[in-house]
Amino acid sequence: MKLFDDYIEGCIKEWVRIYEIINYGNLKDKINLNIGCGETTYPDSINMDMRKTSITDEIYNFELFPWPFKDERFDSVFAFDIIEHLSDVFKTVDEIHRILKPEGNLIIRTNHCETKQSFIDPSHIHFFHLDSFSFYDESTPWGKKYHWYTDKKFKIMNKTKSGEELIFVLKKSVKEFKFDE
């Protein structure tokens, strides 16, 4: 029974943390995109998935670029339990950067690379660590060293390991790195 109680307590803490992230910057009053929505919706969000669910507003294959949105359309993008399934992380995050308004938020939830869940799901093609998105933030050691990976930049506002999952809050940087010509 103790193991079950610990599990429930962990779930409650995780959902409290997610609720706080959703309300980060008063997101409930803004226009948001929820990619890979599954059966989960967020306030004032367009819910998109690759398959029809009870809450899906639009079906879309996120492997096709560009996505069908104008530049700087959204205040926030929720990417919960999807990024590990997509073939090109850099293209995906760059595309999210394109559709986010200046200083918009990208909120990601994915499995930690050291967990069983990362490897037992045969549709997972990427594995993530707390530092995996540091390459987008030039204030981090990884972002400084590998700034040339992408010219799209984010500031890491929060990164948390909660049980087996990672949660990232990234803010779109207005300044972009320019490659030498």
Side-chain angles (χ1 to χ4, degrees), residues 23-166:
N23 289 297
Y24 182 85
N26 198 22
L27 297 181
K28 63 181 182 260
D29 297 329
K30 300 183 180 179
I31 302 302
N32 308 302
L33 177 64
N34 180 16
I35 63 170
C37 64
E39 295 291 341
T40 305
T41 187
Y42 299 102
D44 294 323
S45 293
I46 297 171
N47 299 297
M48 295 182 74
D49 205 305
M50 295 171 133
R51 61 186 175 79
K52 181 70 176 151
T53 70
S54 64
I55 61 144
T56 305
D57 296 313
E58 294 289 331
I59 297 172
Y60 188 74
N61 180 353
F62 296 102
E63 302 280 6
L64 301 177
F65 300 97
W67 293 354
F69 301 107
K70 67 180 185 172
D71 294 356
E72 300 182 351
R73 164 75 169 81
F74 296 103
D75 292 307
S76 296
V77 173
F78 299 99
F80 283 18
D81 306 319
I82 185 173
I83 197 101
E84 64 273 18
H85 299 274
L86 300 174
S87 63
D88 192 327
V89 174
F90 281 105
K91 259 185 156 173
T92 300
V93 176
D94 286 359
E95 184 65 5
I96 291 170
H97 189 279
R98 180 186 70 78
I99 65 174
L100 273 174
K101 292 179 181 176
E103 299 190 1
N105 295 300
L106 167 56
I107 304 164
I108 299 169
R109 183 180 70 192
T110 187
N111 296 108
H112 188 273
C113 62
E114 295 177 349
T115 65
K116 182 178 179 181
Q117 176 62 25
S118 285
F119 296 97
I120 63 171
D121 186 335
S123 67
H124 288 180
I125 54 178
H126 294 285
F127 309 98
F128 296 92
H129 183 273
L130 268 177
D131 289 323
S132 291
F133 293 97
S134 296
F135 294 88
Y136 286 93
D137 187 339
E138 291 180 313
S139 70
T140 69
W142 294 109
K144 288 176 185 169
K145 184 173 182 179
Y146 298 103
H147 59 86
W148 44 267
Y149 274 10
T150 177
D151 63 339
K152 309 298 185 243
K153 300 301 172 190
F154 287 87
K155 175 74 178 156
I156 297 172
M157 304 305 290
N158 188 14
K159 58 182 183 177
T160 305
K161 182 172 185 271
S162 175
E164 294 190 350
E165 297 187 318
L166 301 173

